[in-house]
Amino acid sequence: FFKGLAGCGSWCCFDEFNRINVEVLSVIAQQILTINRAKALGVPKFQFEGTYMQLNQNCNVFITMNPGYAGRAELPDNLKALFRPCAMMVPDYALIGMIRLLSFGFEDAYNNAKKLVMTLTLCSEQLSSQKHYDYGMRAVNSILVAAGSLRQVVGDLPEWTEAKIVMRSVYDVNLPKFTVEDLPLFFGITSDLFPGVELPHADHGALPKAIDDQCMEGVNIAPGKTFKVDPVPAFTNKVLQLYEMVLVRHGVMVVGQTSSGKTAAIHALSQAMTVCNENGEPYEKVQIHTMNPKSILSGQLYGNFDENTHEWSDGVLAVLYRTCAFDTSPDRHWLLFDGPVDAVWIENMNTVLDDNKKLCLNSGEIIKMTDRMTMMFEAEDLEQASPATVSRVGMIFCETRNLGWKPLRKVWLDALPEAIAPHRELLSTLFDWLVPPITYFVAKRCTVPTPVTDQELMSSLLRLLTCQLEAPDGLASDLPKVLECAFIKGIIWSAGACVDSDGRVKFDVYLRALLADNVAEDEAHLDFLSKNRDYVNQERKAIMPPPEGALVHDFRFDMKKAQWFNWVDPSSRFGIPKDAAFTSVVVPTVDTIRSEWLITELLTNGFHVLCTGDTGTGKSVSVKNHKLLNGSDDSWMSISVNFSAQTTANATQDIIDGKLDKRRKGVLGPPLNKTCIVFVDDLNMPAKEEYGAQPPIEILRQWMDHAGWYNRDENEYRQIVDTQFIAAMGPPGGGRTRITQRYVRHFNVVNFVPFDGESLQRVFGTILDWVLSKGFSSGVKSVSAPMVVATVDVYETIAKNLLPTPMKSHYTFNLRDLSKVFQGVSQGSADLVKDKEQFIRLWSHECLRVFHDRLVTEADREYFTGMLAEKVAEHFTVDFNKKIMPPGRSLMYGNFIDPKVVINKKYDEISDTELLSKVMEGYLEDYNANTTKPMSLVLFENAVQHVSRISRVINQPYGNALLVGVGGSGRKSLTTLAVSMADFALRSIVINRTYGKFEWREDLKSIFMVAGVQNEPTVFLFDDTQIVDETFLEDINGILNTGEVPNLFNSEEMVAVNEGLSKDAREDGINAGNPAEMYAYFISRVRSNLHVVLCLSPIGDAFRTRLLMFPALVNCCTIDWFTAWPEEAL
């Protein structure tokens, strides 16, 4: 660029110069310095960047820029020194306004210009300060432009005075952006400045009626997403304001909370204008082109150069923008950016949004915008937008409180089935009676772990009512009673399902009081009445409220029998099949039965579900074992996606695209006559970017709102059909974030509460009885009930007393740890555990392994052993220190004490330490005899204990270990020995200088082949010195969670996998011709054979951050903390 400049001698203005990175700026400074020196010497030719070239003395460089804020750099000193600074002062707006007005033919330009500027000055002083308010030069200019065009249309009509024209322009440009509170102030300011000026009513011809008609017919937002809208005046006014704004600004921003009608307003206007055009009215047809700027990388939005080939590839925006600019038809084109605004991607559009109207791409291409194009932006807030952006666009501000929840009710009531339509009035009064107090109560008095707005609660309620009215068995004859009870049940599972355990209790009390009209004294209700003066107290009672004796959540309403029933029949017992594997056992409780009902109702009616709740409340299990997702129903298929902190939007898109078929051009979907459910686990784990957006969630939201996304290779829109989403996430905190409300609003939120003691005892009691039914003596069976109580007691005590701190960030205990204790106990065999004491000893050992091994300090370990001793005495009346574990001795169990036994090894107590040392030495000699890298280890007692702990974990189904200790504490060599004792294959990776993602994926493939195709039990040993790239942990997180790494194998490699598996698959009764079944079979073999052993060092922050970012490292691993070596060992 500078070569050309110096050669041809032109002047150049670099606009927004400080958006270039500092590193680049200092290189530029060097180049300008070379040119300036040559000019000073007056030479005709000079040496520039390796070229000897001609110099034209006229060349010069100018810089214009805004001082620093987000996304701007400070200019380096060597660059500043080359330029003479010149500060621009604030101009006299009134003078500019006067001259502009005179040029439009205004006679009293002086007074009108002063009033116009005064209006903006007073607004900036008196109104609230909002991110989207701007009263600068550009605001003045747009009012002047509006006044000029209005003057040409109505200038000679007698009823339009000049004051009216100016005031109308001020209104048109500013009204749409003010909040509800600021409007009266604004009207006060204008009525003072323009006394006695009454504005004539704006005449929009056929447009308002067309807007109302389109709302009633349905606003089509995307293929298959048409919504009827109630055209309330607040909404249609916004649509008309949007229309007026589009006429005066070529950049328009629609801002507002979720469900305030942003998308609906834009699409309603475009449809209405198109309909008017077809009827011969003076309006243009409108085409809307939507994209989500945060669901792809910036390079995929604008276009980028390939690093290696230097080829330019267009981005989504570049292609759309060019198509619109070169279109010769008279249609209007609106480029709609539906997604969070941040300081980077939108500033790249500065030249488009100001009066240049040009899109400048990196390739050097400059595309001019036509007059028929409008850039539209739709965002929830402008927290991250810079002043440069806000001043360049027209603002429309939408608020939910202008709409309220009643339009949702009206649209739903209009669509009632014929049989129920006569009862419309009854349903309408039910809403008036229950919805306002309940939503207020939930918002003010309960803790809602995942925030939900009133409008979303209303939508959830309507979805549940729709589900219940579609009851397959039909409804009972007494319709008023059935409808009221169905409504109550809907309220319980919409507003009452998103609160936590304490909230459920409060909710229960308040709802029962409301239904019995017993709220005259209720403090919460009086508070509600004082804040909602227009609520009419109907003083009515429910015909048939839910029965007493338990929470309202504990009853279900049968639409056919018109009765309330318990969810679980108290007399029923659940039997586990004799030959079931421990990892596959799921015992139903009232919680799982309820959530299964909710999920089934919503999914079968085409709605989306979001399960929230703490770790270990059974979210993932409930969803994965659900009959629609576990593959038992042929008309449904499922895709499972696990999010973590490193997930990217592109990866998310590829996982889903890769498992869907091409239906026809531009349409993807599951195989015909199937519906696909995408299960997203840990939805809120992706890390927020610098400006707070989460691209993986944005790409999913793009599907929710617009039924598809862009194919990144061809930049073409792809519709995705017959797909639904169900997601699970923990409450915000730790590595988990709060996700955008614009995505949550599409779901019914169901909060899974932690199991109460009763449910836990029922679940683990059932499991323990099943374990002991395999031939254990009656003495052992007698301990079953107290053992369950004792385990729950130990778990609750340790969770309450050993809390996580920055040094002990892995002190998070959840139900998975409880089940690990019982899984360990289930490994005992009846011929070795003969009496009560032996059984209690086995149980104590498992508690120590699960809880005690992760503890960091000696004090914590002593506390735990002491607590365990108390619990043993309390629940089993046995003296722990005498009978179970005398002080100074350690409990040890293992299945390796007899090296001659190869299959069906027995898990037994190892009390003879001398024998143990001998056996270990023998194993070590065996290993050294068969390897090229012998290990010379001294096996002191502490090391032997660690070997037996590692051995215990890798011998368990789905057993993975996390070994935490400083380098050199023996984590890897002891694992190597344990693996050799178990006779498993040991795999690890070898790092070299060029090792990267590609090599990592290749290594993972070979490990998966060994475990999945060759069916060999394998241990993958991975330590933190091998983490070249944090995405390695992302893949490990996936293996721990689901056993798979998404898109690891391409289709050709999968063919090879399937060929290797086909023989075994046929023997196991799997259909070898069905790729989905074969893949599931392959992954199930990998899961049962592959054990991951991670070695991390606790030093520094990296360990803590990784545990937060990849929750599976704690949730799916047994943790063993390596301490410093004891004296005797040294």
Side-chain angles (χ1 to χ4, degrees), residues 963-978:
L963 313 179
V964 189
V966 293
S969 50
R971 297 164 307 179
K972 283 159 123 174
S973 34
L974 298 181
T975 305
T976 310
L977 178 58

Side-chain angles (χ1 to χ4, degrees), residues 44 81 159 206 218 254 280 375 393 519 540 643 903 929 980:
E159 69 267 25
V254 186
M375 308 298 269
V393 291
V519 281
R540 67 191 274 180
F643 276 6
I903 47 173
S980 141

